[in-house]
Amino acid sequence: MSSTEQIQTLSSADLALARAFPKNFVWGAATAAYQIEGATQEDGREPSIWDMFAAIPGKVHQGDNGAIANNHYHLMQEDVELMSRLGLGGYRFSIAWPRIIPQGRGAVNAAGLDFYDRLVDTLLTKGITPFATLYHWDLPLALHQEGGWTNRDTAYAYADYAEIVARRLGDRVAGWMTLNEPWCSAYLGYGIGIHAPGEQDLQQAIDAGHHLLLAHGLALPRLRANSAPNASVGISLNFTPIYPADERAETLRDAERADLFVNRWFIEPLARGQYPGGLFAALEVEPPPVQAGDLELIGAPIDFLGVNNYTRDVVRGGTTPARADESIKVGPVPGACYTEMGWEIYPQALTDLLIRLHREYGMQALYIMENGAAFKDSWDGGDQVHDPRRVAYMQEYIGALASALEQGAPVRGYFVWSLMDNFEWAEGYAKRFGIVYVDYQTQRRIIKDSGLWYSALLEAWRANTVL
Ligand code: FCB
């Protein structure tokens, strides 16, 4: 992608955008193991909760699962080649715990470590910086059979696993994320059951959330002790900024309760070493089983916060206070545009969020670890896929990022979700988020217009920053 032709396809606004980012900014793309790897029964991998969940009729759209996915486990070399053609500076991937320690604890599977070792080396050969997530939702099934994240022991098993991975890759991985979106693991997985393992009990969600945080806290020092001195360790959280629909007192009250539940549940223990006041009452649950010392571990400083943001919610107050997870969402918002997920496109929320994380929570280094959009892309068998709405989405969101930077938010990188179309959890393969199209019949990858645009933006940015 290094033709000047592509730079010329950028508008003057795009060129100005490219100039808004500093030299050491990391531009990348993100994926996760279960969503792309396939090969779920190969080389010693044992099932995860997602293999089990996807096998239950009705849980995943059209009965899809990750058994083959993008076959990335076998196509890794050419996928890294694709990243290189796009000109990516960073790649965020996740490591499948059930490949490394198939039973969750105990015996280590050498073939699993070898795969990620090869991936990291291949990335480095191409000049792409590896950012690794240690847990992107694929808990070894054997641990689920002992209570999964509702069992405190899982946090200790996780920390052992994290150390094993760091011992092997810690000399080369630039950034570790302990967890991806523990809010989703806890609430979607244990609270409402739309994700694996499919439990529906809010108390379990709260307890699981605590054990996920504990896992993070236990792993932090062990990752640091086994990584290069300049490696950084953080976590990725999902945020959906909440905006009140009107100025009524009940609306402000319910918007605040929604924010408590959606945005503050995980960041506050991490940033301040305590759960936000009123959270458990607002959810009508008991506090989780916190033991002495837990919150100190959880609140230990991190080197960066990974921010995953796609949309916002607009909340309207009811006559009585809604349980914090049941606030009334307004939609569609008049005049607003939505992606195929039904998520409103509202880039200002990203600016507001980044400034808040810096000012209110004192975050000193922020990476957008996920941002992107699903649209109905179609491919005619040729070399192109036209996705003008995704190009517009990226222009607007990267623009919002530039304005957060300008206002002082310490943003260090941006990883688009996703490098390529993949298994979108409960939505199966029906939702396409990639900047690269995947034809699942042939495993052919076709760079979409958004991929070409991103590549051109990166090239323009590189051209500026070398001046
Ligand atoms: C996030 C997940 C990611 C992907 C996007 C669309 O919540 O972390 O794996 O599915 O949503």
Side-chain angles (χ1 to χ4, degrees):
M1 282 322 106
S2 54
S3 73
T4 43
E5 215 174 294
Q6 268 151 30
I7 292 198
Q8 283 159 11
T9 67
L10 292 179
S11 66
S12 55
D14 292 334
L15 292 170
L17 189 56
R19 278 195 294 273
F21 291 88
K23 195 179 171 122
N24 53 357
F25 199 79
V26 183
W27 293 105
T31 63
Y34 190 69
Q35 296 180 274
I36 64 165
E37 287 178 0
T40 50
Q41 299 187 38
E42 288 177 51
D43 289 351
R45 182 190 180 278
E46 290 290 331
S48 78
I49 52 174
W50 267 96
D51 298 275
M52 172 219 41
F53 185 74
I56 303 171
K59 297 294 184 193
V60 175
H61 179 74
Q62 289 188 341
D64 290 347
N65 61 52
I68 299 173
N70 298 17
N71 197 21
H72 169 77
Y73 189 75
H74 296 294
L75 300 177
M76 181 272 281
Q77 300 272 354
E78 68 178 76
D79 287 338
V80 176
E81 179 60 37
L82 188 61
M83 296 174 214
S84 168
R85 281 174 57 205
L86 288 167
L88 302 186
Y91 176 51
R92 174 184 178 224
F93 59 96
S94 86
I95 293 171
W97 185 350
R99 281 197 199 286
I100 308 293
I101 308 180
Q103 299 299 328
R105 61 167 66 87
V108 175
N109 176 34
L113 282 170
D114 290 347
F115 171 72
Y116 297 104
D117 196 83
R118 283 198 304 277
L119 169 62
V120 166
D121 279 348
T122 311
L123 290 167
L124 291 172
T125 310
K126 297 282 179 192
I128 300 168
T129 306
F131 286 76
T133 310
L134 285 152
Y135 183 71
H136 201 127
W137 307 354
D138 42 3
L139 185 74
L141 188 59
L143 293 181
H144 172 66
Q145 282 149 358
E146 297 168 17
W149 287 110
T150 64
N151 182 349
R152 186 178 170 93
D153 291 345
T154 298
Y156 296 92
Y158 169 85
D160 291 344
Y161 150 70
E163 175 169 339
I164 284 161
V165 176
R167 280 179 183 272
R168 180 70 179 267
L169 307 179
D171 56 337
R172 286 158 290 155
V173 166
W176 293 109
M177 279 145 279
T178 52
L179 306 174
N180 177 69
E181 304 187 355
W183 184 95
C184 292
S185 300
Y187 183 67
L188 305 182
Y190 291 88
I192 56 173
I194 63 169
H195 279 185
E199 305 296 332
Q200 297 179 34
D201 177 340
L202 204 47
Q203 187 64 52
Q204 280 192 37
I206 294 298
D207 298 355
H210 183 66
H211 297 140
L212 281 151
L213 283 166
L214 179 63
H216 160 86
L218 290 166
L220 272 184
R222 298 174 69 173
L223 287 168
R224 289 214 170 93
N226 292 286
S227 297
N230 59 349
S232 30
V233 187
I235 184 170
S236 281
L237 301 182
N238 53 304
F239 294 96
T240 301
I242 308 288
Y243 294 77
D246 55 59
E247 293 302 311
R248 291 178 310 132
E250 353 11 338
T251 293
L252 299 180
R253 175 200 64 205
D254 284 0
E256 214 164 280
R257 290 161 70 85
D259 182 52
L260 187 61
F261 162 65
V262 175
N263 298 311
R264 295 171 55 197
W265 173 3
F266 287 88
I267 187 63
E268 294 205 7
L270 290 162
R272 300 183 177 156
Q274 53 188 13
Y275 282 105
L279 173 67
F280 307 119
L283 288 169
E284 299 169 17
V285 291
E286 294 301 318
V290 178
Q291 295 189 11
D294 286 3
L295 288 164
E296 286 72 18
L297 288 170
I298 293 166
I302 46 177
D303 304 319
F304 69 90
L305 177 68
V307 176
N308 297 1
N309 173 252
Y310 293 86
T311 186
R312 68 155 177 180
D313 279 337
V314 176
V315 164
R316 174 182 298 132
T319 38
T320 51
R323 203 174 79 182
D325 64 326
E326 289 175 342
S327 54
I328 304 167
K329 289 180 195 158
V330 178
V333 173
C337 296
Y338 288 82
T339 69
E340 215 36 45
M341 296 294 280
W343 297 346
E344 186 191 346
I345 302 174
Y346 192 77
Q348 180 66 40
L350 179 60
T351 311
D352 295 347
L353 169 64
L354 293 168
I355 292 170
R356 178 187 189 189
L357 291 170
H358 178 49
R359 294 202 186 138
E360 250 176 73
Y361 294 104
M363 290 296 140
Q364 297 302 324
L366 299 165
Y367 285 84
I368 309 309
M369 283 299 184
E370 286 183 26
N371 169 254
F375 291 111
K376 272 210 168 75
D377 303 312
S378 61
W379 176 54
D380 63 5
D383 294 333
Q384 298 182 323
V385 173
H386 301 302
D387 59 342
R389 299 189 66 198
R390 187 173 293 99
V391 174
Y393 180 100
M394 291 177 72
Q395 281 168 323
E396 290 173 21
Y397 270 84
I398 293 174
L401 191 57
S403 72
L405 254 180
E406 202 182 275
Q407 293 171 64
V411 189
R412 309 274 185 256
Y414 174 88
F415 291 72
V416 64
W417 184 272
S418 177
L419 171 68
M420 52 184 167
D421 298 336
N422 58 49
F423 175 75
E424 179 45 38
W425 308 114
E427 304 289 336
Y429 295 96
K431 298 287 187 283
R432 294 179 177 271
F433 273 91
I435 58 170
V436 173
Y437 186 92
V438 176
D439 175 45
Y440 295 108
Q441 301 302 314
T442 58
Q443 292 296 350
R444 200 174 139 188
R445 279 87 162 120
I446 302 103
I447 299 176
K448 301 180 192 177
D449 287 353
S450 57
L452 296 174
W453 175 84
Y454 192 46
S455 176
L457 182 82
L458 272 47
E459 195 177 332
W461 164 79
R462 261 191 306 273
N464 285 322
T465 56
V466 293
L467 293 181

